[in-house]
Amino acid sequence: MANRSKKDKKRAHVRIFFPNLTESAEDTPPPSYEMPDVKDEAVLNYNGQQLTINVQMLNDLERLGTGCFGNVMLVDVVDHPEIKMAIKRMTLQPKDDSNNDFTADTDLKTIRAVGSQDHPYIIKFYAALIDTRDSQLVICMEAMDASMDRFYKAMHLAKKFDQLDPLLRRVSNNPERFKTGAPYGIRSDMWALGISLVEIATGIHPFERLQQFELMIKIETWVPEIPNIISNQMSELILNLLKTDLNQRPSSYDEILEMPVVKNVPQEPSKQEVDFVTSILQKIPPLDDF
Ligand SMILES: Nc1ncnc2c1ncn2[C@@H]1O[C@H](COP(=O)(O)OP(=O)(O)OP(=O)(O)O)[C@@H](O)[C@H]1O
């Protein structure tokens, strides 16, 4: 060793192996974005018409709204301009980091369960697809004239509240919504229903402007303020749904459906209700004005 020339020293190499890294890179299968029972093709069931579709056949027409997962779009189908539906896209994660998949899966289960019952007042579920190029779940459903948030904002702008109470009763009397088979979280759902009713009645989400830490403090002592245009029976229901002690909230949807204020909602909306809803729908400003 001592006699080695400078040239030899330069030639000495150290070889470092990373056998595990090399092997795992080769052995790891590509991430899977699949959902069990959803494929890149599906049979669309549109008002009695059956058609096999894929995402390439969907044309975006306009934006209907934006949620946590992005835009919900109005689309039609190539060669079938008569088919109009709303599509919600949810990005899927590889299977080993499946938070989003869980949400996508829950959303899909809910809209499938609720929207497959052919109820005249519940949006219909048409089909679910996987967009393999963008790794997204694409839920195809009936397009509403407007979502509840756009509706109530227009109602408050117009200051028209004569049918507010019947509207709240209808929102609460919604047995199909409740048949999702969710085995847990039912009392949290009660809270969510209570918040939605306050939001519709007041025109604003009660905690909209609060930061998370402010919310945690406020929620402990919060006493919901129910506008006095709301009937006593409806106010009572809302206050029960929003009890801070969850054991004091209704324990099942059946309990709500049995309350007179909810139970006695007629199946068919009255003429006053229809006229009211139609007049508000006509006042809804274009989406980007909100
Ligand atoms: N079927 C539909 N027809 C018309 N507009 C819709 C439809 N579904 C959703 N929208 C509009 O798109 C908006 C976003 O919907 P989305 O379901 O993504 O939001 P979200 O209810 O806040 O739920 P998430 O928390 O999953 O994002 C809604 O607030 C509504 O304005």
Side-chain angles (χ1 to χ4, degrees):
M1 292 289 278
N3 293 333
R4 261 191 181 177
S5 68
K6 275 188 180 169
K7 208 173 166 190
D8 285 338
K9 274 187 196 162
K10 268 193 188 162
R11 277 203 197 117
H13 292 294
V14 178
R15 301 186 74 188
I16 302 173
F17 292 93
F18 296 100
N20 290 340
L21 277 183
T22 325
E23 274 165 26
S24 64
E26 280 166 6
D27 293 348
T28 309
S32 158
Y33 298 97
E34 288 177 8
M35 298 191 82
D37 75 342
V38 186
K39 304 278 169 258
D40 54 358
E41 229 179 46
V43 177
L44 173 72
N45 196 340
Y46 186 84
N47 302 338
Q49 188 178 353
Q50 296 219 330
L51 186 71
T52 302
I53 57 162
N54 58 41
V55 281
Q56 285 74 40
M57 294 167 72
L58 305 177
N59 299 317
D60 283 355
L61 299 176
E62 64 181 82
R63 183 171 70 94
L64 291 171
T66 303
C68 308
F69 290 90
N71 292 337
V72 172
M73 301 296 296
L74 180 71
V75 300
D76 68 6
V77 176
V78 152
D79 295 334
H80 292 272
E82 76 285 4
I83 298 183
K84 301 263 189 314
M85 38 189 199
I87 63 159
K88 175 169 176 168
R89 289 174 167 271
M90 302 178 83
T91 299
L92 298 170
Q93 299 293 323
K95 278 283 172 267
D96 52 352
D97 173 17
S98 56
N99 266 348
N100 244 9
D101 284 0
F102 176 74
T103 317
D105 195 46
T106 312
D107 246 43
L108 178 59
K109 276 195 186 125
T110 308
I111 174 76
R112 254 198 190 135
V114 171
S116 303
Q117 299 177 31
D118 212 19
H119 190 285
Y121 306 123
I122 308 261
I123 56 163
K124 293 181 181 46
F125 168 75
Y126 293 138
L129 293 164
I130 296 284
D131 183 341
T132 46
R133 203 188 47 193
D134 292 336
S135 309
Q136 286 177 331
L137 168 69
V138 180
I139 299 178
C140 307
M141 61 190 146
E142 184 178 353
M144 297 181 281
D145 290 326
S147 55
M148 183 49 92
D149 55 339
R150 294 180 68 205
F151 181 88
Y152 80 63
K153 281 175 188 154
M155 178 180 79
H156 281 270
L157 274 179
K159 298 193 184 345
K160 287 193 73 175
F161 303 116
D162 47 304
Q163 293 296 314
L164 175 58
D165 221 54
L167 177 69
L168 297 180
R169 293 175 65 193
R170 271 195 195 281
V171 171
S172 313
N173 180 320
N174 194 339
E176 275 64 24
R177 168 194 158 136
F178 304 153
K179 286 185 198 155
T180 55
Y184 60 89
I186 201 82
R187 294 195 186 198
S188 314
D189 286 356
M190 298 296 163
W191 172 270
L193 176 60
I195 294 284
S196 297
L197 294 172
V198 172
E199 191 178 348
I200 297 167
T202 58
I204 185 166
H205 189 291
F207 306 128
E208 191 168 286
R209 300 204 178 101
L210 295 186
Q211 300 292 335
Q212 193 161 1
F213 76 96
E214 292 173 302
L215 173 63
M216 282 160 65
I217 295 166
K218 171 140 192 193
I219 221 158
E220 288 293 316
T221 52
W222 181 54
V223 180
E225 279 170 36
I226 317 286
N228 46 20
I229 34 171
I230 308 293
S231 67
N232 289 343
Q233 276 185 315
M234 186 38 85
S235 301
E236 203 180 310
L237 169 59
I238 296 175
L239 292 172
N240 279 334
L241 291 166
L242 293 174
K243 289 268 193 248
T244 24
D245 175 0
L246 60 85
N247 293 311
Q248 290 182 31
R249 293 178 208 153
S251 60
S252 71
Y253 288 122
D254 284 343
E255 203 177 315
I256 297 185
L257 295 174
E258 280 309 309
M259 293 175 184
V261 63
V262 176
K263 189 177 181 177
N264 299 331
V265 175
Q267 170 85 11
E268 291 296 318
S270 66
K271 180 171 181 320
Q272 290 96 312
E273 282 178 87
V274 174
D275 289 349
F276 171 75
V277 169
T278 314
S279 74
I280 300 291
L281 285 176
Q282 286 162 354
K283 292 184 165 52
I284 294 183
L287 198 56
D288 292 327
D289 288 6
F290 275 129

